[in-house]
């Protein structure tokens, strides 16, 4: 069965960077893309970006494109999301999700989420 | 990119139908047939319920249906059940390979 297992919770200071991992199993990794979505406490969902696991092509939300980098390691079927210059309002649950493949980029299978807290 | 507009909450009795609206612009909802809907229970990851306006992934009950007219998309839950109580988010393609979520709607089963 398709599974996405994310790395554990992180506490970071303002200005620091964080890298969240997302290990995939149960499917052919390079046949699908990975979307990253975040959710601040008590708030709605925010689309952060998408990466093709096949060729590494990325698309980022405009408001984050200067601070975010998404990568994949096909040898370990793992996707990564790095966010730099962290601010207090980056505190959120960060989710990775596998898309529908050829059927589209909608996020069908989700990881359990990684809580990133930015605190001084 | 502004979030799509959804009602804060909707409610209905068991077996009734409820409809959630999702209003955007001609640059997102109105411009493409790429609207999806997600269900999120408290403390859980979201679940894809509808994609491409009206398609259901396998395993999603046919009580859930989607539609679109102009700049507004809608999710209808027919035959409301207790387990449908959750938050629902729409999501639309917004051009330049980017996507935007809606503000979210809390569905309460009375």
């Amino acid at each position: 069965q398709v599974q996405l297992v994310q790395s554990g919770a992180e506490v970071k200071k303002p200005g620091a960077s964080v890298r969240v991992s997302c290990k995939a199993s149960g499917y052919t990794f390079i046949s699908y893309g990975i979307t990253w979505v975040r959710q601040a406490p008590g708030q709605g969902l925010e689309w952060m970006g998408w990466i093709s696991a096949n060729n590494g092509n990325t698309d980022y939300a405009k408001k984050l494109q200067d601070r975010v980098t998404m990568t994949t390691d096909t040898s370990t079927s793992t996707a990564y999301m790095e966010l730099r210059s962290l601010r207090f309002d980056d505190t959120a649950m960060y989710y990775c999700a596998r898309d529908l493949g050829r059927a589209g980029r909608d996020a069908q299978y989700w990881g359990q989420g990684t809580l990133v807290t930015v605190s001084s | 990119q502004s979030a799509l507009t959804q009602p804060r909450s909707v409610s209905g009795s068991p077996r009734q139908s409820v409809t959630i609206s999702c209003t955007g612009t001609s640059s997102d909802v109105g411009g493409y047939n790429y609207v999806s809907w997600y269900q999120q229970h408290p403390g859980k990851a979201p679940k894809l319920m509808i994609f491409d306006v009206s398609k259901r992934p396998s395993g999603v009950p046919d009580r859930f249906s989607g539609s679109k007219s102009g700049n507004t998309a809608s999710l209808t839950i027919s035959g409301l059940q207790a387990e449908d109580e959750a938050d629902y988010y729409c999501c639309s393609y917004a051009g330049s390979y980017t996507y935007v979520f809606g503000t979210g709607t809390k569905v309460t089963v009375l």
Side-chain angles (χ1 to χ4, degrees):
Chain A
Q1 72 283 19
V2 175
Q3 272 196 310
L4 299 171
V5 179
Q6 299 184 222
S7 48
E10 304 262 14
V11 179
K12 297 291 184 181
K13 293 194 183 306
S17 299
V18 68
R19 190 172 84 151
V20 178
S21 67
C22 170
K23 184 167 177 59
S25 62
Y27 71 94
T28 302
F29 185 67
I30 60 171
S31 295
Y32 297 84
I34 298 286
T35 289
W36 289 88
V37 173
R38 69 179 181 178
Q39 186 171 34
Q43 302 300 309
L45 303 175
E46 180 182 9
W47 186 85
M48 298 182 68
W50 173 91
I51 181 167
S52 165
N54 179 44
N55 57 22
N57 286 350
T58 53
D59 295 299
Y60 299 137
K62 285 188 177 63
K63 68 173 280 191
L64 295 172
Q65 63 184 13
D66 292 338
R67 299 195 293 131
V68 70
T69 301
M70 297 174 187
T71 58
T72 59
D73 181 344
T74 56
S75 68
T76 60
S77 299
T78 303
Y80 298 92
M81 186 284 300
E82 181 186 41
L83 189 60
R84 301 176 294 280
S85 302
L86 287 168
R87 310 193 276 243
F88 292 118
D89 62 0
D90 290 319
T91 294
M93 185 71 80
Y94 287 76
Y95 293 101
C96 64
R98 195 207 81 175
D99 66 17
L100 292 167
R102 290 188 175 191
R105 294 191 180 185
D106 307 280
Q108 185 177 23
Y109 294 97
W110 292 67
Q112 83 277 19
T114 296
L115 181 62
V116 175
T117 303
V118 182
S119 173
S120 55
Chain B
Q1 185 68 50
S2 298
L4 308 174
T5 300
Q6 297 181 232
R8 205 165 181 86
S9 63
V10 299
S11 61
S13 300
R15 295 178 298 283
Q16 281 188 333
S17 292
V18 294
T19 297
I20 304 167
S21 62
C22 169
T23 302
T25 69
S26 58
S27 297
D28 39 62
V29 174
Y32 312 93
N33 288 323
Y34 295 128
V35 177
S36 53
W37 289 89
Y38 296 86
Q39 176 193 66
Q40 187 180 33
H41 287 107
K44 301 292 188 184
K47 175 184 177 182
L48 180 65
M49 306 301 284
I50 296 286
F51 67 100
D52 291 355
V53 175
S54 60
K55 297 177 182 176
R56 276 188 310 276
S58 66
V60 172
D62 59 7
R63 304 185 289 106
F64 292 85
S65 62
S67 62
K68 192 188 87 165
S69 178
N71 296 339
T72 298
S74 299
L75 173 72
T76 297
I77 310 172
S78 306
L80 201 59
Q81 298 183 5
E83 59 261 37
D84 299 334
E85 186 161 294
D87 293 325
Y88 291 81
Y89 295 90
C90 61
C91 182
S92 174
Y93 180 67
S96 301
Y97 301 103
T98 65
Y99 290 77
V100 61
F101 278 100
T103 51
T105 298
K106 181 174 179 57
V107 170
T108 301
V109 181
L110 301 171

